[in-house]
Amino acid sequence: MIETILLSVLIVRTTWRIFLEVLNLLHSTSPQVEIPEVLKDKLTPELLEKSKQYLKDRAKLRILSETTQLVVTIYLVLQGLPRLERSFLAYSPLLQAFLFFGALGLIFYLVNLPFRLYSIFVIESKYGFNTATKKTFLKDQTIAVSLIVAFSMLLIPVLLWLLKHQIWWWQASILTFGFILFFWFIQPVLIAPLFYKFTELEDEGLKLKIRELIERSSAKIPKIYVMNASKRTKKQNAYVTGIGRSRRLVLYDTIMDYPSDELLAVVAHELGHHVKRHIQKNVILFSIYATFLLYLTNFVYQHILKTNAFNVQRPHTIFVYAFLFVSSVSYFLEPLVNYLSRKMEYEADRFSVELLKNPAAMISALKMLVKENLSNPNPHPLYKVWYYSHPAPEERIKALRQAQ
């Protein structure tokens, strides 16, 4: 019974994902679609057509990727995972788990790799966004895989220890919360610098203006850095990250050519996330969400263990089946997660307006981001509800205009 339910959920999830991609594609690239009124001063018909084509290329790739992953996952569920388990039974339980997760990770990595390569070196290059060389990509992949292996070497023994208990989800949730806090602290200090170069902001005039904003917002951000994002992309962004002494404001070097008032508006928005404690709220919400998912995973795990479903025996294999099921079900909770995220984005926009008393600067910055990033100006409403962690540009601009 559980076998049929898991396969059904996997198929329904992928079918729904593909349906949303096609729905959004047909809606956003329709000949009847026009430039939203609030964006007409920045977007030209030529740019609109370019953004449509960019959306079309990415959507087609995602549909192909989703279909491929579904086929691979179904094979793994029916035959692949039991075969992997049997392949390593001659080794100790810990080594079995290491080899099992290593082989499984390698399979998914190799399945996804062609799509990542095509996305970066064909699509992103076609539209002028990619600046990464193959050497940079190889270096990034080597570092990323090394980090995953290192963390796995620490986490897999903990997982096996937890699975020895009848009820393990609450211990796992506590460890998950601790790991999030640990990662939040070390990410800007130890991990991000492995991929990007961070230099302290040298423009004294801009630094003074940003420092004034930070003081007026009552935020505590000791460092302001510029990140060499242009080594990999021409897309633009800024963010606040870290906790305690690792906290910092980071500006993409691709955004440094913005007019001063627009750049300050973007900074004020990011300060809004910090002052409104959105990062902390997200950590708490994610921890609650993770606890709920771990509870469900434990429930499914115990059911598979008692019924001998899928003909597997080892705890790590049973856990993967349970996790596959729960992660597939959790996909249908994404609209709620993204709804809360969009609310936070509106709050950060309002904070920017209140801090600078200049909504026009934030509006202009948003328009520039839409133009430079070829963002979709006309997403389908259902697609927005499901996937948009930020409100659509048109909606944000309208909300900012009401704040004037």
Side-chain angles (χ1 to χ4, degrees):
M1 183 66 177
I2 187 70
E3 294 94 335
T4 303
I5 295 173
L6 174 54
L7 288 173
S8 299
V9 170
L10 286 169
I11 292 169
V12 169
R13 182 194 64 175
T14 301
T15 302
W16 182 250
R17 288 170 76 106
I18 292 174
F19 168 75
L20 287 177
E21 288 294 340
V22 174
L23 183 69
N24 187 56
L25 182 62
L26 294 175
H27 173 83
S28 302
T29 61
S30 167
Q32 285 73 41
V33 165
E34 297 180 351
I35 300 170
E37 189 66 34
V38 297
L39 294 171
K40 284 186 175 179
D41 60 331
K42 285 289 183 183
L43 292 186
T44 63
E46 292 76 20
L47 276 173
L48 177 62
E49 289 305 312
K50 190 175 181 181
S51 72
K52 286 182 179 181
Q53 192 59 48
Y54 181 49
L55 171 67
K56 188 180 296 185
D57 288 347
R58 289 187 301 152
K60 287 179 178 179
L61 185 66
R62 279 196 293 267
I63 290 169
L64 181 58
S65 174
E66 290 288 347
T67 305
T68 303
Q69 289 187 59
L70 176 63
V71 172
V72 172
T73 304
I74 289 175
Y75 168 75
L76 287 170
V77 167
L78 294 177
Q79 296 186 33
L81 293 177
R83 285 184 176 181
L84 276 181
E85 180 185 83
R86 291 194 296 270
S87 298
F88 306 126
L89 287 178
Y91 304 103
S92 68
L94 182 58
L95 186 54
Q96 285 181 46
F98 281 138
L99 293 172
F100 178 86
F101 282 113
L104 188 60
L106 181 61
I107 290 169
F108 279 115
Y109 178 82
L110 292 177
V111 168
N112 289 324
L113 184 60
F115 298 103
R116 295 186 66 183
L117 288 170
Y118 190 87
S119 175
I120 294 171
F121 293 106
V122 177
I123 296 178
E124 296 298 308
S125 295
K126 176 181 176 181
Y127 294 93
F129 292 128
N130 178 52
T131 57
T133 63
K134 292 180 176 63
K135 182 179 178 181
T136 300
F137 178 82
L138 182 60
K139 176 186 174 184
D140 287 350
Q141 292 300 297
T142 302
I143 295 171
V145 171
S146 299
L147 288 171
I148 291 170
V149 170
F151 281 117
S152 297
M153 296 290 283
L154 296 173
L155 295 176
I156 289 174
V158 174
L159 174 65
L160 294 183
W161 174 78
L162 288 171
L163 293 177
K164 291 179 180 178
H165 298 76
Q166 178 72 18
I167 300 175
W168 50 263
W169 60 270
W170 64 270
Q171 297 108 314
S173 65
I174 293 172
L175 289 171
T176 299
F177 178 70
F179 182 77
I180 292 170
L181 292 179
F182 171 71
F183 189 82
W184 185 19
F185 181 82
I186 69 166
Q187 189 274 339
V189 178
L190 297 179
I191 296 177
L194 295 174
F195 297 92
Y196 294 96
K197 182 180 179 181
F198 293 83
T199 56
E200 291 200 39
L201 179 62
E202 295 178 355
D203 186 329
E204 292 299 330
L206 179 60
K207 184 187 291 186
L208 180 61
K209 292 177 182 178
I210 293 176
R211 278 285 165 217
E212 289 174 355
L213 274 184
I214 292 173
E215 289 177 10
R216 282 165 49 196
S217 68
S218 300
K220 294 180 179 179
I221 301 176
K223 299 288 185 179
I224 304 170
Y225 288 101
V226 177
M227 184 180 83
N228 66 333
S230 60
K231 189 176 181 181
R232 291 166 178 81
T233 182
K234 289 184 179 179
K235 291 186 176 180
Q236 300 150 354
N237 204 355
Y239 61 90
V240 174
T241 188
I243 182 174
R245 289 180 296 175
S246 73
R247 189 178 295 124
R248 60 201 56 200
L249 169 67
V250 178
L251 308 172
Y252 280 28
D253 58 355
T254 52
I255 207 173
M256 298 307 294
D257 291 334
Y258 271 36
S260 177
D261 59 340
E262 292 182 16
L263 196 152
L264 291 175
V266 172
V267 169
H269 171 92
E270 298 305 323
L271 291 176
H273 284 306
H274 174 68
V275 173
K276 297 293 183 179
R277 299 187 180 278
H278 290 162
I279 298 175
Q280 292 91 326
K281 290 176 182 177
N282 276 327
V283 169
I284 293 171
L285 288 172
F286 178 79
S287 298
I288 295 171
Y289 182 62
T291 300
F292 173 66
L293 294 184
L294 287 166
Y295 168 77
L296 290 181
T297 302
N298 179 68
F299 177 82
V300 177
Y301 178 90
Q302 297 299 335
H303 179 77
I304 295 173
L305 190 63
K306 290 174 183 177
T307 60
N308 196 32
F310 303 107
N311 295 315
V312 291
Q313 303 172 356
R314 304 306 302 164
H316 51 265
T317 316
I318 299 171
F319 174 82
V320 168
Y321 275 109
F323 183 79
L324 271 175
F325 177 78
V326 173
S327 61
S328 298
V329 171
S330 70
Y331 167 74
F332 296 96
L333 298 176
E334 284 190 19
L336 174 60
V337 175
N338 285 323
Y339 168 75
L340 296 173
S341 177
R342 290 194 297 272
K343 285 190 66 176
M344 292 180 184
E345 293 300 324
Y346 279 127
E347 286 183 6
D349 280 348
R350 286 195 296 271
F351 182 87
S352 175
V353 171
E354 292 167 3
L355 189 64
L356 289 174
K357 311 298 181 185
N358 185 12
M362 189 64 200
I363 290 172
S364 182
L366 282 171
K367 291 180 179 180
M368 185 67 72
L369 286 169
V370 172
K371 176 183 176 181
E372 297 299 324
N373 293 342
L374 287 181
S375 301
N376 179 12
N378 297 291
H380 190 278
L382 185 58
Y383 194 88
K384 287 189 294 185
V385 166
W386 212 276
Y387 287 123
Y388 274 39
S389 60
H390 289 55
E394 181 181 8
E395 296 167 348
R396 291 179 71 179
I397 291 169
K398 287 179 178 179
L400 285 164
R401 283 183 171 178
Q402 292 175 359
Q404 288 179 305

